Amino acid sequence: MVRNERISIEGKPAHRTDGWKTSAGIRLLLFVLLGLLFYMAVANRLIPQTYDIEIGSVSEKTIYATKQIENAIETQKAKEEAARRVQPVYSILPMKNETLVEAIFEKLRQINADDQLSTTDKVNVFRNVFPTMYNDHAEMLYASIKVGEPGNEGLLNEVKTALRDQQYRIPEEVYFKFPRLTKEDLDAMEPVARDVVVRLMNDQLTNAQTARTRVAELVNTSPLTKNTSREMVQEIARFVITPNKFSNQKATEEERAEARENTKPVYINKGDVLVHKGERVTEETYGRLKDMDLLKEKVNYWPQLGLAMMSALFVLALYMYVRQSEQPIRHNNVQLLMLVLIYVLNVTGMKIVALGQNLEYANIGYLAPVAMGAMLIAILIGMPIAFISSILFALLSSVIYNVKGEELFDFRYGLVALVVCITSVFAIQRANQRASILKAGVMVSLFGAVTIVSLIFLDNVYTRNEIMLSFGFAVASGLLTAVLVIGLMPFFEVSFGILSPLKLVELSNPNHPLLRKLLTETPGTYHHSVMVGNLSEAAAESVGANGLLCRVGSFYHDIGKTKRPSYFIENQTNIENPHDHIEPSLSKSIIIAHARDGSEMLKEYNMPKPIRDIAEQHHGTTLLKYFYFKAKKQQEEGAEPIPEEEYRYPGPKAQSKEAAIVGIADCVEAAVRSLRNPSIEQIDTMVRKIIKDRLDDGQFNECDLTLKELDTIAKTLNETLLGIFHSRIEYPADAPAKTESKEVKQA
């Protein structure tokens, strides 16, 4: 599947480059140029005229607002509505009621252990002590609330009222049971009571009774066995439990005041009707006309400023969309310059067609190749930017082709332009050959014509001649769009170094000189590259990377091996391995050189930089373990250790997901191909070991692959490899061939 992603020939994110490509000043200048383009494109349509009107007179025309002013009445209504929607604010206080539990049990032990007090005396003491301890605990809470802080005075009153009104009244008969509790009973009861209180007080309670109803359930599931103990724990827990969530009126009022303050003003917007034709001009209407400088009382230059404001809004919308984009245009001024150029070409084409409206063809605006800009942006930059640009092109069309003096925008042209632009973006998203552009142009013609037909049915004032012309203009517009896009694509690809899907498909043609060279001089490497392309494309698609770039990059990643093909094992057919007769250091130099040689060869053939980067970076700075250990084995005793750095590729490490994925697929394909009869377990173990080794070696430190994506890549490679190396049926051997191996061959 072809991914419609664009990659700059710079190969790396724009923020890694220097000079004007990331200059903030250049970026600002380009956006200013866009604003000037918008201004000049619609200036002749949107500079408003002034009117000679007096209070009490009848307006001869419908007059529209030319700028935005606040509607004070509606703004006040919006503020009150916002304040009404604010929910009451509550404060959650740490009650620390478990300390009250501990104090109560300590008091129970103390009083019950006093033999000088009779049971009646103890009951009287308990009857007075419990409320006193509750009040003391409440006073400690009150003291923790700082009254001097804003809003806390009201909160303190709310807390006092809630604790007083919701205080639990222990039944009178319970006080007669407390003296019967032994020390052992109290020791067993205390942790249960404390646990119940802590668990229930963890909830936000405005009404303590809701928590008290759950006390019996929790106590009955406790390890207490005595009925009296469970009953006393329940009463103590109910007594201790209090609300901990209190209404904060001051904070609520502050929230409502803030809601009023943050409410956006309600405006009379540009384009709204100020006075209808035949309507009498009131004093309020006259004031609005004066505020907008629509009266012929004085010469004003505010309309130009209004148009500048609208142009700035267009630029701001585009800027915000670019800023949020994940495409290189977010940082790269090269792509932003290309976007500006596309806008210039598209608006120029629209203005040229608009000249024909001065003739007898009033609907010639339907002929404009508005979708050309959207299609070019979708192919060369990205679909998200193409969508927002489609909206801007539609707005410009509704102004440029507006011939009705009473209206600022003609929705018919805007609607048609929006439909054809959106259609072109969707139709071109999977383009992988030049013919796809022509198909997209046909789709633009079709949907443009359908939209015009729908407008004709809605507005039954067209003549037959107008209908035929409008329909013909729509069909011609789609074909003209396709022709212009096909003609302009090579210009943008060469001038801005854009590696589009169309270009990638062209580079994957086996008739390319480098691929022919690879096939004829190193057939083993060619087959290996094709296999790596299959693996890397599937892996890249699984993590949202550019699968087509990975496939094409894989085709060329080992092109450097064509300089010394016999030194690479896949090309050593019926010949002796030359590495057996040379020093490991020389072998290392030959092997390492293929990445650099490949990058240089690709540069000689003017291959795009992302392809060169894959060839140069697919090994990163990995270690040539075979020759490193061979060198160590041949090393004389007592000699200085050979540093690993001497047997590592010079790098750089992978700078993109695509380069990293090709490197993984390259290593995996070679490793699995070395297995005689690879099983599912062997393949999975091999793949994950290779990825882990590269991860531990820091080969992914400079690209944005995540651990989750690496796991997804491993699973995808396993699935793809199983499809490639699936087992085949073992055919019975002929009698003379009985001595041959009976192993099952792998595809």
Side-chain angles (χ1 to χ4, degrees):
M1 180 176 65
V2 177
R3 292 177 53 83
N4 193 23
E5 295 185 8
R6 262 57 48 187
I7 298 174
S8 169
I9 199 168
E10 301 302 321
K12 300 178 182 179
H15 64 274
R16 298 180 183 173
T17 60
D18 297 320
W20 72 272
K21 296 178 182 179
T22 55
S23 169
I26 296 297
R27 198 167 190 79
L28 176 62
L29 176 61
L30 292 174
F31 278 111
V32 170
L33 289 176
L34 272 176
L36 291 175
L37 176 66
F38 294 146
Y39 185 96
M40 295 173 63
V42 298
N44 63 324
R45 299 290 190 187
L46 292 184
I47 299 299
Q49 66 181 102
T50 56
Y51 304 91
D52 187 9
I53 294 179
E54 296 180 357
I55 298 176
S57 63
V58 176
S59 176
E60 298 179 355
K61 295 182 179 180
T62 299
I63 304 176
Y64 298 87
T66 59
K67 62 182 178 181
Q68 191 181 65
I69 61 174
E70 183 177 352
N71 189 327
I73 297 176
E74 294 300 323
T75 298
Q76 186 61 32
K77 290 181 181 179
K79 288 183 177 181
E80 293 305 320
E81 177 63 20
R84 188 185 63 81
R85 290 196 299 265
V86 173
Q87 299 297 321
V89 177
Y90 290 90
S91 295
I92 311 298
L93 300 182
M95 306 302 291
K96 299 182 180 179
N97 287 4
E98 63 272 14
T99 61
L100 181 56
V101 174
E102 296 170 357
I104 289 174
F105 274 93
E106 183 61 31
K107 184 62 70 174
L108 287 171
R109 292 190 187 93
Q110 178 184 347
I111 295 174
N112 284 354
D114 192 346
D115 297 334
Q116 296 180 3
L117 295 175
S118 64
T119 300
T120 302
D121 293 335
K122 292 180 180 179
V123 170
N124 291 330
V125 171
F126 289 141
R127 190 181 290 117
N128 296 322
V129 163
F130 271 71
T132 301
M133 296 180 70
Y134 181 90
N135 292 333
D136 291 343
H137 183 74
E139 289 297 333
M140 292 177 59
L141 176 64
Y142 302 154
S144 66
I145 301 175
K146 299 179 180 179
V147 180
E149 294 184 0
N152 279 4
E153 184 175 352
L155 175 62
L156 179 59
N157 294 331
E158 181 70 22
V159 173
K160 287 182 178 181
T161 301
L163 294 186
R164 182 184 65 249
D165 294 345
Q166 298 188 40
Q167 181 177 355
Y168 181 74
R169 309 298 176 185
I170 297 178
E172 184 66 22
E173 64 271 13
V174 174
Y175 289 116
F176 290 91
K177 297 180 181 180
F178 283 135
R180 304 174 190 172
L181 298 173
T182 65
K183 182 179 182 302
E184 290 74 16
D185 292 336
L186 294 173
D187 290 342
M189 292 163 55
E190 181 177 359
V192 175
R194 189 179 188 280
D195 180 63
V196 169
V197 170
V198 170
R199 289 179 61 181
L200 293 177
M201 290 297 294
N202 280 336
D203 296 333
Q204 297 180 9
L205 304 176
T206 56
N207 187 352
Q209 186 57 33
T210 59
R212 290 169 183 158
T213 58
R214 298 175 53 198
V215 169
E217 176 187 353
L218 296 178
V219 173
N220 289 335
T221 58
S222 70
L224 293 176
T225 57
K226 293 183 179 180
N227 291 334
T228 303
S229 298
R230 289 201 292 267
E231 181 185 357
M232 295 300 99
V233 168
Q234 291 179 33
E235 294 300 328
I236 293 173
R238 293 188 183 106
F239 177 76
V240 171
I241 291 173
T242 62
N244 59 9
K245 182 179 180 182
F246 306 95
S247 175
N248 194 329
Q249 188 63 29
K250 179 69 174 179
T252 301
E253 290 301 325
E254 290 176 352
E255 289 284 342
R256 288 172 178 168
E258 184 178 356
R260 293 188 185 95
E261 184 179 350
N262 292 337
T263 300
K264 294 182 179 180
V266 179
Y267 293 100
I268 298 174
N269 294 313
K270 185 176 188 297
D272 290 347
V273 176
L274 294 178
V275 56
H276 291 278
K277 182 179 179 180
E279 181 181 349
R280 192 169 297 278
V281 178
T282 64
E283 185 175 353
E284 180 182 357
T285 303
Y286 187 85
R288 290 177 180 173
L289 293 173
K290 185 176 182 180
D291 291 340
M292 295 188 181
D293 297 318
L294 293 176
L295 302 176
K296 291 186 176 180
E297 295 181 347
K298 61 179 180 179
V299 178
N300 73 86
Y301 300 96
W302 294 112
Q304 289 84 349
L305 179 59
L307 179 55
M309 290 172 59
M310 189 192 75
S311 301
L313 289 174
F314 284 1
V315 174
L316 180 62
L318 190 60
Y319 167 75
M320 295 304 295
Y321 220 85
V322 169
R323 183 180 178 184
Q324 298 299 323
S325 172
E326 297 297 328
Q327 300 293 330
I329 192 174
R330 180 179 180 181
H331 303 286
N332 193 340
N333 289 340
V334 174
Q335 289 209 343
L336 183 59
L337 175 60
M338 180 171 58
L339 179 67
V340 173
L341 183 56
I342 292 174
Y343 268 80
V344 170
L345 292 174
N346 210 48
V347 171
T348 300
M350 294 163 62
K351 295 291 287 184
I352 291 174
V353 173
L355 296 176
Q357 287 186 307
N358 295 327
L359 305 176
E360 56 180 308
Y361 305 110
N363 296 329
I364 198 173
Y366 294 132
L367 177 63
V370 184
M372 175 187 71
M375 196 179 299
L376 285 172
I377 294 171
I379 296 174
L380 300 174
I381 299 177
M383 288 185 62
I385 307 298
F387 282 124
I388 188 64
S389 297
S390 298
I391 298 174
L392 294 179
F393 290 145
L395 291 173
L396 292 175
S397 296
S398 65
V399 177
I400 292 175
Y401 300 116
N402 176 28
V403 293
K404 298 180 179 180
E406 298 84 2
E407 300 176 358
L408 296 178
F409 298 89
D410 192 331
F411 82 96
R412 298 174 304 163
Y413 294 103
L415 177 62
V416 173
L418 182 63
V419 169
V420 297
C421 286
I422 297 296
T423 299
S424 69
V425 174
F426 278 114
I428 205 65
Q429 64 175 327
R430 300 187 185 279
N432 54 16
Q433 53 186 347
R434 304 290 172 181
S436 301
I437 299 177
L438 184 58
K439 295 178 182 177
V442 173
M443 294 295 292
V444 168
S445 297
L446 175 63
F447 279 87
V450 170
T451 306
I452 291 175
V453 170
S454 68
L455 291 173
I456 291 173
F457 289 159
L458 290 172
D459 187 3
N460 193 22
V461 295
Y462 285 87
T463 64
R464 178 176 297 181
N465 186 48
E466 288 178 330
I467 294 174
M468 295 300 296
L469 282 176
S470 297
F471 192 86
F473 287 149
V475 173
S477 173
L479 300 178
L480 180 60
T481 296
V483 171
L484 291 175
V485 171
I486 292 174
L488 290 172
M489 276 290 296
F491 164 75
F492 283 103
E493 289 176 345
V494 174
S495 301
F496 293 92
I498 299 299
L499 188 54
S500 66
L502 304 176
K503 184 67 174 179
L504 283 172
V505 171
E506 291 177 357
L507 294 176
S508 66
N509 191 329
N511 289 323
H512 191 281
L514 284 178
L515 291 184
R516 287 205 309 270
K517 178 181 180 69
L518 190 69
L519 175 61
T520 56
E521 298 180 10
T522 56
T525 299
Y526 179 82
H527 178 263
H528 161 72
S529 298
V530 172
M531 300 292 285
V532 172
N534 294 333
L535 294 173
S536 62
E537 182 178 33
E541 294 288 351
S542 69
V543 296
N546 191 332
L548 183 58
L549 173 61
C550 286
R551 169 180 285 275
V552 178
S554 299
F555 291 167
Y556 294 92
H557 80 288
D558 276 343
I559 193 67
K561 292 182 179 180
T562 57
K563 287 198 172 184
R564 305 172 188 86
S566 62
Y567 285 88
F568 298 91
I569 191 169
E570 66 267 23
N571 301 314
Q572 295 171 2
T573 304
N574 299 324
I575 64 172
E576 189 176 4
N577 190 343
H579 291 289
D580 295 339
H581 306 290
I582 61 178
E583 292 297 321
S585 59
L586 180 57
S587 297
K588 173 262 299 183
S589 299
I590 294 173
I591 298 298
I592 286 178
H594 87 273
R596 182 185 65 254
D597 292 340
S599 178
E600 292 175 354
M601 291 177 64
L602 293 172
K603 191 172 184 179
E604 291 175 4
Y605 279 79
N606 295 320
M607 297 293 283
K609 195 170 187 302
I611 303 295
R612 304 203 309 266
D613 287 342
I614 289 176
E616 185 178 21
Q617 300 168 11
H618 72 280
H619 282 296
T621 59
T622 54
L623 176 67
L624 286 168
K625 293 183 179 180
Y626 177 82
F627 295 110
Y628 173 67
F629 289 115
K630 181 179 179 181
K632 289 183 66 176
K633 185 176 181 181
Q634 295 179 0
Q635 188 180 21
E636 296 181 358
E637 293 186 5
E640 293 185 4
I642 301 175
E644 281 191 3
E645 287 72 17
E646 292 186 6
Y647 282 80
R648 284 185 177 272
Y649 281 90
K653 296 178 180 179
Q655 303 294 303
S656 64
K657 287 185 180 181
E658 289 76 15
I661 291 171
V662 171
I664 294 172
D666 177 49
C667 190
V668 165
E669 195 280 335
V672 174
R673 183 159 40 85
S674 67
L675 302 175
R676 291 183 59 83
N677 295 298
S679 63
I680 296 176
E681 293 77 12
Q682 286 177 312
I683 291 176
D684 182 69
T685 301
M686 181 74 73
V687 170
R688 294 190 180 275
K689 181 179 183 302
I690 290 171
I691 293 177
K692 184 178 184 302
D693 289 345
R694 290 206 165 206
L695 180 63
D696 294 340
D697 197 29
Q699 297 303 315
F700 306 133
N701 290 354
E702 298 180 15
C703 65
D704 53 353
L705 278 176
T706 64
L707 293 176
K708 182 178 180 181
E709 289 174 334
L710 288 174
D711 182 65
T712 303
I713 289 171
K715 293 177 182 178
T716 305
L717 289 176
N718 286 332
E719 295 171 358
T720 308
L721 286 167
L722 288 176
I724 296 174
F725 293 99
H726 61 277
S727 298
R728 290 180 177 170
I729 298 174
E730 181 181 1
Y731 293 94
D734 294 334
K738 288 183 180 180
T739 59
E740 293 182 0
S741 172
K742 295 182 179 180
E743 296 179 352
V744 178
K745 295 184 178 180
Q746 303 293 327

